[in-house]
Amino acid sequence: MNARNQLQESDAQRPVLVAGATGAVGSQVVRALLERGASVRVFVRSLDKVDALPAHVDRVVGTLEDRDAVARALRGVRSAFFVAPHDADEEQLAENFVAACEREQTRLVFSGVHAGGANRFTRLAMRTLFGRMMPHYIPKLRIAERVRTSRTTSVVLTPGNYFQMDELIREELLAGRFILPMGLVPRVDTRDIGDAAARALLDGSVASGAYSLVGPTSLTGEESAAAWSVALGRSVAYAPDFEAAALLFERLYGGRKAVDFRESYRLLGGVKVKTSPREVQETTFLLGRPPRPFARYALETAARWQAPAMPTGANLVTSR
Ligand SMILES: NC(=O)c1ccc[n+]([C@@H]2O[C@H](COP(=O)([O-])OP(=O)(O)OC[C@H]3O[C@@H](n4cnc5c(N)ncnc54)[C@H](OP(=O)(O)O)[C@@H]3O)[C@@H](O)[C@H]2O)c1
């Protein structure tokens, strides 16, 4: 075996770090990495939430506020995954993680809100437009730009609205109402985000840059409701109710996460964004297959809900 092969082999044995491993996306990244036989290290605030992970998954306990803990978690990893948590201090928390990746020269894969564009002028125009439409999301746009321009190899994944957000309104869906405001919105399965991130974390030939992650088509509220009608075998009407959704987010989460979700749906109710062939192509490239369609996700989820002894409630983490 030559030196280059030996280097690649030892690189493959080093763990991939997943920050936010207990979250909607991070848990899917862990699942996808384990399915690919990768060595995984998780960075978690509490060990309780990762009880169910296999014993060979390395666990580092700490918070993003603690720079020493972040540095400890990154030591010796081959690549690292990061999502900015729903936190008033999200920019500083992201800075702690990105700066540590720069110091360690760690390949960084990030999933979050990003205003893309082919060159710096279109990127600036997109950020200005996005910021005007959605001032609440300005820090998130700055985080993605910080990652994209960081002094390490970085891949920025830009997912659409998660299919799995609909699981928050399970009771409403079962009562025949799709209450989440939705004009025309690119949506994506969190399992596809996990699969795409795993590819970017493990395959160094995936070039630095920003990639869209979407389902096959954008969806309107009516189309989302229609897919749930078929999946649940009962009529589900599109009945957008911003106030009811905001109250639900407050009851489920409170704090910054409830505010982020509320502000997202304030925007999503009014937008008409058609998924472009380029976005589907980028997603398909990372997945090595076409993205999962919403109708299939709804069928699988309805079957899971109807199966006996499944836990109920607002769990965003959907198993494969
Ligand atoms: N929802 C959507 O449709 C959507 C679409 C596109 C982009 N996004 C973006 O995705 C991001 C959120 O990702 P997600 O959906 O995976 O979030 P999530 O389910 O809320 O997970 C957040 C993760 O971060 C961890 N965390 C929070 N604060 C931390 C801290 N101070 N130190 C260490 N870990 C911390 C949480 O750990 P604990 O388990 O300990 O809380 C959890 O594992 C947001 O930036 C959002 O804007 C969301």
Side-chain angles (χ1 to χ4, degrees):
M1 188 186 295
N2 64 30
R4 190 187 156 90
N5 285 346
Q6 272 174 1
L7 194 68
Q8 280 174 347
E9 189 161 289
S10 70
D11 193 52
Q13 283 158 1
R14 290 194 286 146
V16 176
L17 178 70
V18 181
T22 55
V25 169
S27 60
Q28 287 302 328
V29 177
V30 172
R31 188 261 316 144
L33 288 167
L34 291 175
E35 279 176 8
R36 286 157 180 77
S39 164
V40 176
R41 177 183 296 168
V42 292
F43 182 56
V44 288
R45 294 198 281 189
S46 153
L47 286 175
D48 300 349
K49 288 195 185 171
V50 285
D51 268 357
L53 288 180
H56 59 80
V57 171
D58 190 16
R59 286 126 162 111
V60 175
V61 180
T63 69
L64 291 163
E65 285 84 349
D66 180 350
R67 289 183 207 162
D68 292 337
V70 173
R72 213 168 47 242
L74 280 169
R75 205 155 297 145
V77 303
R78 66 189 279 192
S79 54
F81 176 80
F82 180 75
V83 279
H86 298 280
D87 191 295
D89 220 10
E90 60 189 332
E91 246 184 307
Q92 183 58 55
L93 301 184
E95 179 56 33
N96 291 351
F97 198 85
V98 178
C101 286
E102 288 180 326
R103 276 193 297 276
E104 296 287 327
Q105 280 300 293
T106 306
R107 180 178 174 84
L108 169 60
V109 177
F110 164 81
S111 171
V113 182
H114 173 61
N119 58 50
R120 71 193 166 101
F121 298 109
T122 49
R123 276 196 295 274
L124 181 65
M126 286 292 288
R127 278 207 304 282
T128 309
L129 185 70
F130 210 152
R132 279 216 187 110
M133 283 161 61
M134 213 157 129
H136 177 79
Y137 271 53
I138 289 173
K140 293 184 188 299
L141 299 176
R142 282 203 293 252
I143 291 171
E145 210 38 25
R146 171 73 178 92
V147 173
R148 196 187 64 78
T149 56
S150 62
R151 293 181 308 279
T152 190
T153 321
S154 65
V155 173
V156 172
L157 304 175
T158 311
N161 170 258
Y162 307 161
F163 292 172
Q164 280 78 1
M165 289 295 286
D166 291 8
E167 292 172 44
L168 301 181
I169 57 158
R170 178 181 188 270
E171 299 311 323
E172 292 286 350
L173 290 171
L174 294 174
R177 291 185 296 269
F178 185 92
I179 64 161
L180 298 174
M182 194 161 290
L184 176 66
V185 175
R187 307 196 67 194
V188 64
D189 196 310
T190 54
R191 294 170 297 179
D192 283 352
I193 307 175
D195 289 334
R199 161 95 196 277
L201 288 158
L202 297 174
D203 181 354
S205 75
V206 172
S208 274
Y211 297 81
S212 301
L213 289 181
V214 293
T217 58
S218 296
L219 290 155
T220 61
E222 286 86 354
E223 287 164 343
S224 301
W228 282 113
S229 292
V230 173
L232 293 167
R234 71 183 73 176
S235 167
V236 177
Y238 177 51
D241 189 336
F242 177 76
E243 296 304 330
L247 274 174
L248 176 71
F249 302 147
E250 192 54 40
R251 184 166 59 76
L252 288 174
Y253 302 113
R256 183 63 171 212
K257 189 158 171 168
V259 174
D260 272 2
F261 282 7
R262 186 190 72 207
E263 293 309 307
S264 287
Y265 282 100
R266 192 192 297 283
L267 177 83
L268 295 180
V271 297
K272 292 215 179 317
V273 181
K274 206 167 167 203
T275 296
S276 72
R278 180 188 56 78
E279 290 170 319
V280 178
Q281 243 171 35
E282 285 175 7
T283 309
T284 304
F285 162 71
L286 284 176
L287 292 174
R289 58 166 170 80
R292 289 178 167 91
F294 183 76
R296 197 166 85 212
Y297 154 78
L299 280 168
E300 289 164 358
T301 305
R304 191 160 47 82
W305 286 348
Q306 281 150 8
M310 284 305 291
T312 59
N315 180 10
L316 272 183
V317 180
T318 311
S319 59
R320 202 172 179 89

